[in-house]
Amino acid sequence: MSVIVIGFTTLDGRTADPDGSDGTPGGGWMFRHGPEHVSGDKFRLGATLDNGVLLLGRRTWQHFGALWPARDDAFSTRMNAAAKLVATRTLTDTSAWANSRVLEGDLLTAVKAEQRDVIVTGSVGVVHRLIAADLVDEYRTLTVPVVLGTGSRLFPDGAPAADLRCVEAEQVGPMLYARYRRS
């Protein structure tokens, strides 16, 4: 089992409001170079998505649950079919997005007990808790050549040091896809 964090980041490591749905002044930076650069399986999840489980915070799950079920391309079909765990203290009904269920009990305990690969996308609060507990095995990022200067970061101040190695990198249009694993 591996914990894989996937996400869009800016050149200065920001993750805040990539699609503009939060309405922040710098939001929407993910699409500044066109939607074609971020569509499909850009994070190369493939069978990992089929056999693993998506772990999402409530806000990300609600946002994705409003978008993905209406899509029917090959990657969307995979996303919709994937098993999903929602880390939430308030949400009880997960019927809006197929194969979703509320994570029971403590987040860290549940992740440690999971037998499948755990894929975390968005959900910066969940990501920060996993980083703090040193549970992340791999990061897959798509870095957009934008500097925001403000907003949440993938790695928060005070995150534990980590030695990673780049196992894959490729330019995707004006962006950089990179995959990093623990050394």
Side-chain angles (χ1 to χ4, degrees), residues 3 5 18 28 33-34 42 51 58 72 77 81 84 117 127 137 142 148 158-159 161 174:
V3 175
V5 168
H33 300 285
K42 293 299 186 214
N51 302 316
R58 178 193 50 81
D72 62 0
T77 299
K84 300 161 199 75
D117 287 334
V127 169
D137 299 296
L142 193 61
L148 292 180

Side-chain angles (χ1 to χ4, degrees), residues 54 109 116 154:
L54 283 170
T109 302
R116 301 169 286 186
L154 178 60

Side-chain angles (χ1 to χ4, degrees), residues 10-183:
T10 63
L11 194 57
D12 60 340
R14 307 294 175 170
T15 59
D17 200 12
D19 66 354
S21 63
D22 289 339
T24 63
W29 49 267
M30 179 175 66
F31 295 115
R32 289 189 185 157
H33 300 285
E36 66 277 5
H37 300 299
V38 297
S39 63
D41 191 4
K42 293 299 186 214
F43 295 99
R44 301 175 185 164
L45 294 170
T48 305
L49 189 58
D50 299 337
N51 302 316
V53 60
L54 283 170
L55 172 60
L56 306 160
R58 178 193 50 81
R59 287 186 61 216
T60 301
W61 181 88
Q62 287 176 318
H63 182 62
F64 283 12
L67 298 173
W68 288 102
R71 298 176 179 175
D72 62 0
D73 60 275
F75 182 69
S76 297
T77 299
R78 265 189 156 146
M79 283 288 286
N80 289 325
K84 300 161 199 75
L85 289 175
V86 186
T88 180
R89 290 185 199 100
T90 58
L91 187 67
T92 56
D93 180 10
T94 59
S95 62
W97 196 13
N99 305 313
S100 297
R101 68 179 176 85
V102 171
L103 182 141
E104 299 293 329
D106 177 67
L107 170 69
L108 302 179
T109 302
V111 169
K112 289 176 188 176
E114 184 58 55
Q115 298 295 309
R116 301 169 286 186
D117 287 334
V118 176
I119 305 156
V120 188
T121 183
S123 310
V124 72
V126 171
V127 169
H128 288 175
R129 288 196 57 205
L130 296 172
I131 289 171
D134 197 27
L135 291 178
V136 180
D137 299 296
E138 183 174 311
Y139 296 90
R140 297 183 189 187
T141 60
L142 193 61
T143 303
V144 179
V146 170
V147 174
L148 292 180
T150 187
S152 59
R153 291 180 178 263
L154 178 60
F155 297 97
D157 288 340
D163 289 322
L164 305 170
R165 62 185 164 82
C166 181
V167 296
E168 185 178 8
E170 179 183 335
Q171 186 171 346
V172 179
M175 302 172 202
L176 177 69
Y177 165 77
R179 183 175 162 209
Y180 304 93
R181 289 204 52 88
R182 288 179 179 265
S183 292

